[in-house]
Amino acid sequence: MPNQEITSATAPSEQSAGIIKPYYSPKLCNDDLAPTRDQNWSWYNIFSFWMSDVHSMGGYVVAASFFTLGLTSWQVLLCLLCGICIVQICANLVAKPSQQAGVPYAVICRQAFGVFGANIPAVIRGLIAFAWYGIQTYLAANALMLVLLKFFPSLTPMTLPHWLGLSALGWVCFGIMWVLQAMVFWHGMSAIKRFIDVAGPAVYVVMLLLAGWILYKTGLSNISFTLSTKTLTAGQQGWEMLTATALVVSYFSGPLLNFGDFSRYGKSMGEIRRGNRWGLPFNFLLFSIVTVVIVSGTQSLFGQMITDPIETVSRVGNSVAVALGLLTMIIATIGINIVANFVSPAFDFSNCSPQKISFRTGGMIAAVGSVLLTPWNLFQSPEIIHYTLDVLGSLIGPLFGILLADYYLIKRGHMDVDALFNATPSGRYWYRNGFNPKAIAALVPAVVIGLIISFTPGLHQVANFSWFIGAFLAGGFYRYIARHDRATSGEMRFMKTEVE
């Protein structure tokens, strides 16, 4: 854990600002990237973080889309639970180095990629956030559009013209959601912390009420738990269940890799593990049960399976109930978008030029970039959703594999925190001109192989496991290439002293 005394003569005034020591290079450090002085997040704050990630329209749509694979409801539920247990294990592994040093992922990566080489994974992760930020904003904008149409039917003509795949009213709603999220983000991490503490629980209320309404309308006996028109053999069912489990991990791969940006504020690893335990398996199981009930009930109630929660809520008869339900889902989506796709690229882009790009500027770069991707075209159908997850998994998996291989297998769980901010050749993580060729050599082929698999039609089924393939390939490549760099006992004692 970083030293809690500020030794810099120009200590930042904000309570949550970082420790900037006099010998930290300005090329590598600013108030946001430095080891934090304020590690005060409890297990409930971590729990709320995962609630915001789980309780989103994107999570609901992904879970509901598994029915199109030909699986029954109990099989979908089992896949969701298995996938989230894998995410929990990985989250605990990702959390430790950032909590230990009090720094975000972009800084932790300097240990593996070099103090300047860390910009490579930082930029990759930032670009991925472009896509997810836009997708979640688009989903929230859809909910807002339904609210407006419910109360102002005269706006219907604005839904007809389309530009770049989005209607005029769609652009207005997207812009409103874009601004609202930016306002929350602009107030800093303390405001974000308070917001996610409310956003996650709020959507639970809506989901439980919606499930109760469906049960009231249909009756338990009329809920069908076999929704797909496909007939699968036992072998096909097993394969589709493995595919669904892998897609769960791919969906959470972004927040999972980003988790160090939040675990850095954790009081202890014990608190973080407790938050992960309640926020992932327990919380996700309950959310999954509610999702399965709602999706199953729509078949009996409306004569068709509806995988979009926005459309389901919009069919509730009471206008006030519809408005409250959709507005709550909007709040929940803002929550996940900020924690998963705003905070992390803010750190990533700030890491590229700490003195020119602040935390706020980095986040706004991601926000602007998200619009340019026209994200509504990435989330139009279950097939496109799965394809998007495959490509993102092939990029995120290798970054995850190298991070864990370096920290646990090469550095053996220890680090020199001060060296993360040392931009001189004498620094421990200088490697070659600030770049670690071994990490780059492991990253490139793993990403290329993953993308080839994702874009090859004949390998479509294998592409669903792109996150796992990328993580194991990159981690294995790096472990082999850097095997002679494995920390000795003497080096570990030195690094442990530096951390403590």
Side-chain angles (χ1 to χ4, degrees):
M1 184 175 176
N3 185 351
Q4 295 301 303
E5 295 182 3
I6 297 187
T7 58
S8 173
T10 58
S13 58
E14 288 189 41
Q15 182 183 2
S16 61
I19 304 167
I20 302 181
K21 297 182 179 181
Y23 48 85
Y24 282 2
S25 171
K27 296 179 180 179
L28 300 173
C29 189
N30 59 25
D31 291 351
D32 302 307
L33 299 177
T36 182
R37 301 163 50 197
D38 200 11
Q39 291 184 308
N40 62 2
W41 282 38
S42 67
W43 72 271
Y44 180 77
N45 299 127
I46 300 298
F47 171 60
S48 297
F49 166 84
W50 287 117
M51 287 183 78
S52 294
D53 280 332
V54 170
H55 304 170
S56 67
M57 286 178 281
Y60 182 101
V61 170
V62 170
S65 70
F66 292 159
F67 286 105
T68 64
L69 297 175
L71 301 176
T72 61
S73 295
W74 73 266
Q75 291 172 327
V76 169
L77 193 61
L78 181 60
C79 294
L80 294 173
L81 185 58
C82 290
I84 209 64
C85 286
I86 295 173
V87 173
Q88 180 198 6
I89 294 171
C90 295
N92 288 335
L93 294 174
V94 169
K96 186 176 180 180
S98 285
Q99 196 281 329
Q100 179 185 7
V103 297
Y105 167 83
V107 175
I108 284 294
C109 276
R110 296 173 185 174
Q111 192 177 27
F113 284 88
V115 290
F116 295 131
N119 289 329
I120 297 173
V123 169
I124 291 175
R125 195 181 68 151
L127 293 176
I128 291 171
F130 281 7
W132 275 121
Y133 180 82
I135 288 170
Q136 294 287 1
T137 303
Y138 163 64
L139 293 174
N142 267 355
L144 178 60
M145 183 163 61
L146 285 173
V147 172
L148 293 177
L149 290 174
K150 196 79 174 179
F151 289 94
F152 304 101
S154 59
L155 295 176
T156 301
M158 293 182 64
T159 63
L160 300 178
H162 285 73
W163 182 61
L164 296 179
L166 200 60
S167 68
L169 185 59
W171 276 107
V172 171
C173 293
F174 188 90
I176 292 173
M177 295 310 307
W178 191 95
V179 171
L180 288 176
Q181 292 170 123
M183 289 174 61
V184 175
F185 169 81
W186 201 258
H187 284 81
M189 286 301 298
S190 59
I192 293 171
K193 177 184 173 183
R194 291 192 297 269
F195 188 87
I196 64 176
D197 283 348
V198 175
V203 78
Y204 245 143
V205 176
V206 173
M207 295 292 287
L208 289 172
L209 289 175
L210 184 59
W213 177 76
I214 285 180
L215 286 173
Y216 171 75
K217 286 289 188 179
T218 63
L220 184 61
S221 60
N222 291 324
I223 291 184
S224 171
F225 289 96
T226 305
L227 303 179
S228 177
T229 57
K230 298 180 181 178
T231 302
L232 303 179
T233 65
Q236 290 173 328
Q237 289 180 12
W239 176 258
E240 295 295 358
M241 290 179 70
L242 286 175
T243 299
T245 301
L247 288 173
V248 171
V249 180
S250 294
Y251 174 76
F252 284 98
S253 61
L256 179 59
L257 190 65
N258 302 346
F259 188 49
D261 296 335
F262 298 89
S263 66
R264 69 182 295 210
Y265 300 106
K267 292 180 178 179
S268 66
M269 276 305 301
E271 289 284 309
I272 291 172
R273 291 189 185 96
R274 185 182 178 191
N276 287 344
R277 182 168 60 252
W278 286 101
L280 287 169
F282 175 81
N283 170 50
F284 195 67
L285 177 61
L286 181 56
F287 180 78
S288 300
I289 291 173
V290 174
T291 300
V292 167
V293 169
I294 293 174
V295 174
S296 300
T298 58
Q299 180 72 42
S300 300
L301 189 59
F302 303 117
Q304 64 181 110
M305 182 177 65
I306 301 175
T307 60
D308 186 345
I310 299 174
E311 183 178 350
T312 304
V313 172
S314 68
R315 296 199 181 196
V316 177
N318 189 294
S319 297
V320 176
V322 171
L324 290 175
L326 293 176
L327 288 173
T328 304
M329 288 189 170
I330 290 171
I331 292 173
T333 302
I334 290 176
I336 183 178
N337 226 7
I338 290 174
V339 300
N341 306 313
F342 222 148
V343 171
S344 297
F347 285 127
D348 292 335
F349 295 125
S350 179
N351 185 72
C352 295
S353 183
Q355 299 307 306
K356 295 180 180 179
I357 303 177
S358 66
F359 175 75
R360 287 176 173 175
T361 303
M364 296 312 296
I365 291 174
V368 172
S370 69
V371 183
L372 302 179
L373 284 178
T374 61
W376 40 89
N377 294 318
L378 300 177
F379 231 62
Q380 288 181 334
S381 68
E383 292 77 15
I384 295 178
I385 292 171
H386 294 175
Y387 187 76
T388 300
L389 294 178
D390 294 342
V391 174
L392 295 179
S394 66
L395 294 171
I396 295 175
L399 300 180
F400 177 85
I402 292 175
L403 173 68
L404 297 194
D406 179 76
Y407 180 75
Y408 289 100
L409 302 180
I410 303 301
K411 305 301 192 300
R412 300 170 70 179
H414 300 281
M415 74 180 72
D416 180 348
V417 176
D418 290 344
L420 296 171
F421 302 93
N422 188 338
T424 67
S426 62
R428 180 178 293 273
Y429 307 126
W430 178 255
Y431 298 110
R432 188 179 300 172
N433 297 321
F435 294 81
N436 183 2
K438 295 178 181 178
I440 298 172
L443 175 67
V444 172
V447 169
V448 170
I449 291 172
L451 291 176
I452 290 175
I453 292 174
S454 298
F455 286 104
T456 302
L459 299 175
H460 175 70
Q461 291 186 321
V462 180
N464 293 322
F465 300 88
S466 58
W467 184 89
F468 293 92
I469 293 171
F472 282 108
L473 282 179
F477 290 160
Y478 184 74
R479 173 65 180 86
Y480 178 77
I481 296 172
R483 63 190 183 281
H484 298 303
D485 300 334
R486 195 164 185 259
T488 64
S489 298
E491 289 174 325
M492 286 193 296
R493 282 195 297 271
F494 170 77
M495 287 191 283
K496 186 175 182 182
T497 301
E498 290 297 307
V499 172
E500 293 176 346

